[in-house]
Amino acid sequence: MKLGSLKSPHSRDGELCVISKDLKTAVKATHISANLREALENWKDKEASLQKIYADLNAGSVADSFPVKEGDFHSALPRTWLFADGSAFIYHIKLVRMARKAALPETLETVPLMYQGECGQFLAPTEDIPQRDFSHGTDFEGEVGVITDFVPMGVTPEEALKCIRLFVLINDVSLRGLIPEELAQGFGFFQSKPASALSPFAVTADELGSGWKEGRIHFPLQVNYNGQFFGKANASAMHFHFGQLIAHAAKTRNLAAGTVIGSGTVSNESHENGSSCLAEKRMIEQIETGSIKTPFMKSGDTIEIQMLDDKGQNIFGRIFQKVKAV
């Protein structure tokens, strides 16, 4: 099924909605749970009822359904308890480390990289990306992510996969100009990682069909920048699968229901597939031509991120954001 959060003047968590498979119609499900975060906390009790609504909605037998207008929806999960973002695509790590002249970690292929990002507020998928200082180097990062049920501390990667409830897309906004100095202080990302955005709709594994296997999503991530093709890297190239990322996050703590785990920037070694962030493209330009041609984002620039299934149908809706000077 597909779920979303309708914007509401009464709640920052929005109102829980069930979305039709073709993303054209929706129906409120607030009688099942007020919002998606609460539904995730009571998933065993709520899932069957939500599935029934989804079946009825797709059959056209829901009287109070309404047309989907993308501007009416928050990120699928407007806020939650934890956003832990991994970096599971090895080629991306190599390129961005090269860009800032940083050494690769010795455990590159054995221990996932992960940081804790902003989770108290996700930007809506059509909300402007605010930028107060363009020397900060605004960049987008197209990612795939999962939302978990409760995950016990010390879970194995195999058991962790069973804790996944929903899938989303992520635009993990990065301020590249702040990252080197911040990491040089030895305490990780903070100012360089402002609020991100999720796709408007979160989906269960069955919506991915054969595209979900081996703990990875096997579809390309479609990225357009300023209305032009930018990338179609396949998310299947994750070195660490989602079970491994979840287990890494849960090594020393329980994870609350509603935890978002990001894949890191989707990246392929084939340059024909383009990129999912500007930092990669800039480094590829440096390697191939000897100079960087592409600037970081400026006011008015737009980024569009979406994913199509093997039948060409949109799975998650789209993230479509514009940079705005504030």
Side-chain angles (χ1 to χ4, degrees), residues 5-16 30 34-38 74 78-79:
S5 298
L6 191 68
K7 292 177 181 177
S8 167
H10 308 297
S11 172
R12 286 180 291 171
D13 294 301
E15 297 178 295
L16 177 63
T30 48
N35 55 66
L36 181 55
R37 181 174 53 79
E38 293 181 9
H74 282 291
R79 57 178 181 165

Side-chain angles (χ1 to χ4, degrees), residues 131-146:
Q131 179 52 278
R132 56 180 295 269
D133 185 341
F134 284 86
S135 70
H136 291 171
T138 306
D139 197 359
F140 56 86
E141 292 191 57
E143 305 185 9
V144 291
V146 297

